[in-house]
Amino acid sequence: MKRSVIYNLNTATLTLIVFGILAVVNFIGFRHHIRFDFTKQKSFSLAPQSIKVVKTLKDEVRVIGFYEAKEKSMFDNLLDRYKYHSKKLAVQFYDPDKDKVIAEKYKIKQYRTVVIEKGKRETRLEDITDENGEEKITNAIIKLEREATPHVCFLKGHGEKEIADREREGYSVAQDELKDEGYDVKNFSLLESGKMADCSVLVIAGPQKPFLPKEIELISDYFKKGGRGMILLDPADRETGLETFLSKIGIVALNETVIDPISTIFGQSAATPVVSEYTSHEVVRDLKEASFYPLTRPFKIQTELPNKNIKVEAIAKTTPNSWGEVGPLKQGKVKYDAGKDRKGPLNLAVAASGKWSGRKDEKEMRLVAVGDSDFSNNRSFEFSGNGNFFLNAVAWLVGDESLISIRPTKAAGISGRLMMTPRQVQLLFLLTIVVTPLVIIGSGIIVWLRRRRLA
Amino acid sequence: MRNVIAIARKDFKNYFITPVGYLVLTVFSGIMGWMFCSAVFDFLRRSQAAMRFGGIPDMNVNTMVIQPMLGNMSIVFLFMVSFITMRLIAEERKMNTLELLLTSPVRSSEIVLGKFLSSFAFFALMLAITLIYPLTLSIFGDPDFKQIAAGYLGVLLLGGTFLSLGLFISSKTENQITAVALTFGLFLFFWVMSWILSPSDSIGGQLISYISIIDHLANFIRGLIDTRDVIYYISFIFFGLFLTHQSLESLRWR
């Protein structure tokens, strides 16, 4: 009896020890783990931009999710991807139905709300799902990481595109997207020149009327003092006055319309050139999608720059098939007139940067000039690379290098389709439900018969 | 090592001497075939209906056909494991061939490993038959094979877990029926546990969901191979085999 008791004790102890060791191994493995994403769409990995943002977090960021209990796994999946790259993210989950007190404290109105806190500042995001969550959360983190919110000022007063305009030609979409990136967007009038310095970026979107000389002077001063701005100048009959300012930097806004008979958008005329290859400038270096520009004018960069301290580069060019058509466009055919029209490739967008007087203590000015203001209006913003181009330009102007990279987008969900005819379905049915089991049974019978013969 | 393989081979052949092996394979592939076909049928019908309403819907054969199939496969397998493992040791005890085995110079660990390997090989055969499904899908569509591979890896590991526990239970009784009943009950318990326990953030809640065998499978099926889950399943398999080993050793004493 005694022997068996000792034996059992030994076994039990050994079992406990082994269990303990396994528990420790699992615990360590839990803390230090590696993930391998085996999906074609990389659903478990963050976009490069998100990884960049998360890895460079310096202070702790708290992410609090309020979801129904059954959707907790969606929240977990989303945040797991972030947590994998940084220990500075503290993630918490609350069920608004169960933890009413906390939900009240954060004034939660609906499910799928995520609150992100850093220090004393907080951002609230609504309707965060597995699909749209990454973009919104990354942008929110970027916004919180900034010391102050940059202001994007849209100039008014000369027939520019309006940010409040929700029609096809308006810029309400651009405004919404800028706000999503964490910028503050507002209208600006040159008459309130006192506040110009508050603008982090000045956007002049397609002015139609001429500027007063005093206004041009104000704008000039703004840039000279290290201002940042985007000038979108459509082809026009009349000069606005901005052309003079641009030529001071070495950018000549030509009075032509860009025609590209080949690289154009299907369904649009040849006057909507498509740019699919960009230069290596920061604004467009990571841009992979093409962009298009309805009715645009080209810029010429002078070989001898008037201000040697300011660097000017082209960022978007048209193909060699294009040309700059001089004179008004007529309906119907348009053709290249050698000697009159200018042959491509032409510069649709240029970027300038530098310290105006070349002194070390000066602030660096940055300017992006595009020969068209329709590429980022409500009709065109969300197509192809147009939106990204616009946002990248603003980000570069603000100095937000962390925002310039591939924004998290849904990978093309083309994988996973299935096309079958009824007959093919029948075949499938036969193969899997009938044939396979029959084969198994058949081989069983064969084996049985063989053994009977041997016996 | 040679002993292990010898035992494994003998037991593996055993599956095909009596009707049990064929029965398990037939039933399993029959059920899985049925589930697969109805899933594909349903998928096609819904794709067509959605296309008629205009626009290309987000119908994805990976998430809507293959992943649920892998999940179902695990559940079906859960119910069938008992039949695969029951005879491994229980029958040997009943027929007293176990004594012979134990008195031979073969070590207990080799017995355990050999028997486990045989059941695992049989399980791998069951899974191999189901490979027809994603293969036929690839003729007509475009499934994500890397993701499918991850899913199968998960099912393999999960199956290994079931098998090692089933082996342990088989080593504890002489009665095959008892073995089946116990194995069945144990796995049902695990399965239900992952259902009932609602997810919560407390440490207890996290611990419980970690223990749930089936929850770890979810990551594999979705295409994520996390070292955490791999370690979990391997630990489980190891522990099951260890317990079996202890159980055999205790039999030696009697």
Side-chain angles (χ1 to χ4, degrees), chain A residues 100-206:
Chain A
K100 291 204 167 89
V101 178
I102 312 246
E104 284 250 344
K105 179 173 151 212
Y106 283 99
K107 300 201 188 51
I108 302 300
K109 298 189 217 96
Q110 42 174 289
Y111 296 120
R112 299 190 179 171
T113 303
V114 175
V115 175
I116 306 184
E117 289 178 347
K118 182 179 166 216
K120 290 211 189 74
R121 298 161 66 197
E122 102 177 12
T123 303
R124 170 188 306 260
L125 303 167
E126 310 210 312
D127 194 31
I128 301 297
T129 67
D130 223 343
E131 290 161 6
N132 66 14
E134 187 185 338
E135 188 175 343
K136 292 194 183 178
I137 292 182
T138 301
N139 284 336
I141 296 179
I142 292 176
K143 190 168 133 180
L144 283 172
E145 280 283 286
R146 287 206 200 99
E147 298 303 321
T149 310
H151 299 276
V152 179
C153 304
F154 277 79
L155 195 64
K156 273 177 78 133
H158 315 87
E160 291 94 345
K161 302 289 189 328
E162 303 255 351
I163 49 179
D165 187 352
R166 295 193 169 275
E167 304 291 314
R168 277 151 48 109
E169 310 282 326
Y171 261 54
S172 57
V173 171
Q175 179 189 40
D176 291 338
E177 296 271 336
L178 282 170
K179 282 198 178 145
D180 274 347
E181 302 262 304
Y183 299 119
D184 177 56
V185 184
K186 57 187 186 194
N187 283 316
F188 183 80
S189 172
L190 278 171
L191 302 171
E192 308 161 51
S193 63
K195 300 210 213 104
M196 205 163 186
D198 286 344
C199 293
S200 319
V201 174
L202 180 69
V203 178
I204 308 180

Side-chain angles (χ1 to χ4, degrees), chain B residues 61 69 72 85 95-96 119 127 185 189 212:
Chain B
V61 77
M69 181 190 85
N72 290 335
T85 55
M95 314 252 273
N96 290 325
S119 65
L127 279 192
F189 169 70
S212 163

Side-chain angles (χ1 to χ4, degrees), chain B residues 99-217:
Chain B
E99 268 189 51
L100 277 174
L101 200 54
L102 288 176
T103 49
S104 71
V106 177
R107 289 197 289 246
S108 297
S109 56
E110 290 173 325
I111 300 177
V112 170
L113 266 178
K115 289 191 175 289
F116 177 70
L117 272 179
S118 75
S119 65
F120 195 76
F122 187 74
F123 173 57
L125 182 62
M126 286 166 80
L127 279 192
I129 295 178
T130 68
L131 279 175
I132 296 184
Y133 311 137
L135 278 174
T136 43
L137 278 186
S138 70
I139 301 179
F140 303 110
D142 179 30
D144 184 348
F145 269 103
K146 232 173 141 199
Q147 191 184 40
I148 295 175
Y152 269 94
L153 176 65
V155 177
L156 261 179
L157 286 173
L158 178 69
T161 313
F162 287 158
L163 290 172
S164 81
L165 286 180
L167 185 63
F168 170 59
I169 292 178
S170 173
S171 73
K172 279 306 216 183
T173 89
E174 281 181 2
N175 194 333
Q176 286 191 45
I177 312 269
T178 319
V180 168
L182 274 177
T183 317
F184 208 78
L186 182 68
F187 290 142
L188 211 57
F189 169 70
F190 275 120
W191 183 36
V192 167
M193 200 166 67
S194 67
W195 260 24
I196 287 187
L197 294 169
S198 57
S200 70
D201 234 8
S202 65
I203 305 240
Q206 278 188 347
L207 195 64
I208 291 180
S209 61
Y210 189 78
I211 294 181
S212 163
I213 295 189
I214 301 200
D215 279 356
H216 286 270
L217 182 63

Side-chain angles (χ1 to χ4, degrees), chain A residues 270-328:
Chain A
T272 306
V274 170
V275 174
S276 38
E277 274 178 40
Y278 303 94
T279 66
S280 55
H281 191 273
E282 273 176 299
V283 173
V284 288
R285 192 165 37 201
D286 288 323
L287 198 56
K288 290 196 173 60
E289 306 148 304
S291 47
F292 62 90
Y293 305 82
L295 275 184
T296 172
R297 78 200 293 175
F299 291 107
K300 180 165 119 108
I301 303 177
Q302 287 174 354
T303 31
E304 276 283 335
L305 290 174
N307 185 335
K308 299 260 188 298
N309 301 314
I310 307 289
K311 200 169 53 151
V312 181
E313 273 176 72
I315 51 182
K317 293 193 198 188
T318 57
T319 67
N321 297 315
S322 61
W323 70 83
E325 176 78 14
V326 172

Side-chain angles (χ1 to χ4, degrees), chain A residues 63-65 72 75-76 83 91-95 98-99, chain B residues 198-207 209:
Chain A
V63 180
I64 311 173
K72 175 176 191 274
F75 175 68
D76 283 339
K83 281 196 286 189
V91 179
Q92 280 171 304
F93 170 82
Y94 293 107
D95 182 347
K98 275 203 228 144
D99 306 298
Chain B
S198 57
S200 70
D201 234 8
S202 65
I203 305 240
Q206 278 188 347
L207 195 64
S209 61

